[in-house]
């Protein structure tokens, strides 16, 4: 979906969202409140410039509009794979963006994200998964890594990974699989403006993704491991 079409569907009462070199920013109006909107389009790679621009927008929202909710619109091919970005420390820029989102949350801003096109790799972590809740459109593409690349990294054959992807959502792309794992809170279809308003009304700042993934059958052990670690910490605490 084109971002202009998406913006009109999310904010039928009006918005000021604009694009500059694949960077989206502005505000949208719901029936209850004004929403700060920041994101990317054109499958933008998250390089140092976009990471800084997103972080600056979040910090400006904190300073100028306390408690205003923030919507992250996600369409990215992941972090930009360039020697220049690596030498500049792209990991630090992306970490800075993540810290800014976390600061907004601690200051009382509700933060949600919407994958409306493509969400890949590390670019998705800071521009989508850092939100209190992440949502997706039915036709969105979501994956951590393509199976061919995963085969090269893990040394597991692509044929075997393809077999695993049939039954295990961890290996399979698509919003439905991330819904099962708890990474995506819900898939929006139909009236997007109403679903956005409902999502903003029910934001929780407690990370329940592992527990949700266990309930949905997509991640069987993550919450069990977390509970075991917390239990051990409690035992060792004097």
């Amino acid at each position: 979906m084109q971002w202009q079409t998406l913006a009109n569907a999310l904010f039928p009462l009006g918005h000021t969202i604009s694009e500059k070199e694949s960077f989206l920013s502005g505000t949208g109006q719901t029936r209850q409140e004004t929403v700060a909107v920041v994101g990317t389009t054109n499958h933008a790679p998250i390089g140092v410039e976009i990471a800084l621009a997103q972080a600056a927008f979040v910090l400006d929202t904190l300073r100028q509009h306390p408690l205003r909710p923030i919507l992250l619109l996600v369409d990215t091919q992941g972090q930009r794979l360039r020697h220049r970005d690596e030498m500049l420390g792209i990991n630090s820029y992306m970490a800075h963006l993540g810290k800014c989102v976390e600061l907004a949350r601690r200051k009382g801003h509700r933060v949600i994200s919407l994958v409306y096109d493509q969400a890949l790799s590390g670019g998705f972590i800071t521009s989508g998964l850092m939100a209190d809740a992440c949502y997706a459109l039915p036709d969105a593409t979501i994956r951590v890594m393509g199976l061919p690349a995963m085969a090269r990294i893990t040394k597991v054959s692509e044929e075997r990974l393809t077999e695993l992807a049939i039954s295990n959502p961890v290996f399979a792309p698509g919003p439905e699989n991330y819904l099962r794992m708890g990474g995506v809170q819900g898939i929006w279809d139909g009236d997007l403006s109403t679903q956005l308003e409902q999502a903003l009304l029910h934001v929780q700042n407690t990370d329940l993704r592992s527990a949700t993934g266990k309930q949905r059958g997509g991640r069987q052990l993550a919450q069990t491991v977390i509970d075991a670690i917390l239990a051990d910490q409690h035992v060792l605490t004097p």
Side-chain angles (χ1 to χ4, degrees):
M1 180 182 290
Q2 296 293 318
W3 75 263
Q4 297 92 335
T5 303
L6 175 69
N8 291 333
L10 289 170
F11 304 108
L13 297 180
H15 68 84
T16 65
I17 304 170
S18 61
E19 174 191 351
K20 183 178 181 181
E21 297 179 351
S22 299
F23 172 68
L24 302 176
S25 62
T27 61
Q29 188 64 44
T30 71
R31 286 175 292 184
Q32 288 81 26
E33 57 196 335
T34 300
V35 179
V37 182
V38 63
T40 52
T41 189
N42 301 321
H43 302 344
I46 306 299
V48 296
E49 296 85 3
I50 283 184
L52 279 179
Q54 288 182 308
F57 180 90
V58 171
L59 291 177
D60 184 66
T61 300
L62 266 69
R63 297 187 190 101
Q64 303 298 327
H65 308 285
L67 302 182
R68 174 174 287 183
I70 300 172
L71 171 63
L72 308 172
L73 296 180
V74 182
D75 176 21
T76 175
Q77 60 182 270
Q79 71 184 68
R80 189 163 61 194
L81 302 177
R82 288 185 182 176
H83 182 70
R84 170 181 175 272
D85 290 84
E86 294 294 335
M87 293 299 293
L88 287 172
I90 180 61
N91 58 309
S92 296
Y93 288 82
M94 295 178 73
H96 172 62
L97 172 57
K99 291 176 182 178
C100 291
V101 173
E102 174 61 14
L103 178 61
R105 180 170 22 251
R106 295 189 181 193
K107 293 292 186 180
H109 294 258
R110 290 159 288 159
V111 185
I112 65 174
S113 62
L114 175 62
V115 181
Y116 70 97
D117 198 317
Q118 180 173 272
L120 306 183
S121 188
F124 179 36
I125 295 174
T126 51
S127 64
L129 291 179
M130 276 297 296
D132 294 312
C134 178
Y135 297 87
L137 297 186
D139 295 330
T141 299
I142 307 177
R143 64 174 184 265
V144 174
M145 184 181 292
L147 293 185
M150 192 181 297
R152 290 194 297 271
I153 296 298
T154 63
K155 308 304 181 184
V156 177
S157 70
E158 187 175 343
E159 292 75 15
R160 178 56 178 155
L161 291 175
T162 301
E163 293 175 4
L164 291 171
I166 296 174
S167 59
N168 193 324
V170 173
F171 295 93
E176 296 83 4
N177 290 299
Y178 277 77
L179 182 72
R180 286 180 60 196
M181 291 189 291
V184 168
Q185 184 70 21
I187 298 175
W188 290 356
D189 199 6
D191 187 346
L192 299 184
S193 62
T194 296
Q195 291 175 92
L196 170 62
E197 291 173 353
Q198 288 300 310
L200 290 171
L201 286 174
H202 296 96
V203 168
Q204 294 184 350
N205 60 7
T206 301
D207 189 352
L208 301 175
R209 286 174 293 188
S210 295
T212 302
K214 184 175 182 179
Q215 293 169 1
R216 294 173 179 173
R219 297 182 73 192
Q220 296 296 329
L221 296 178
Q223 187 60 45
T224 301
V225 172
I226 291 172
D227 292 339
I229 292 172
L230 293 176
D232 286 343
Q233 288 179 341
H234 178 72
V235 171
L236 294 174
T237 300

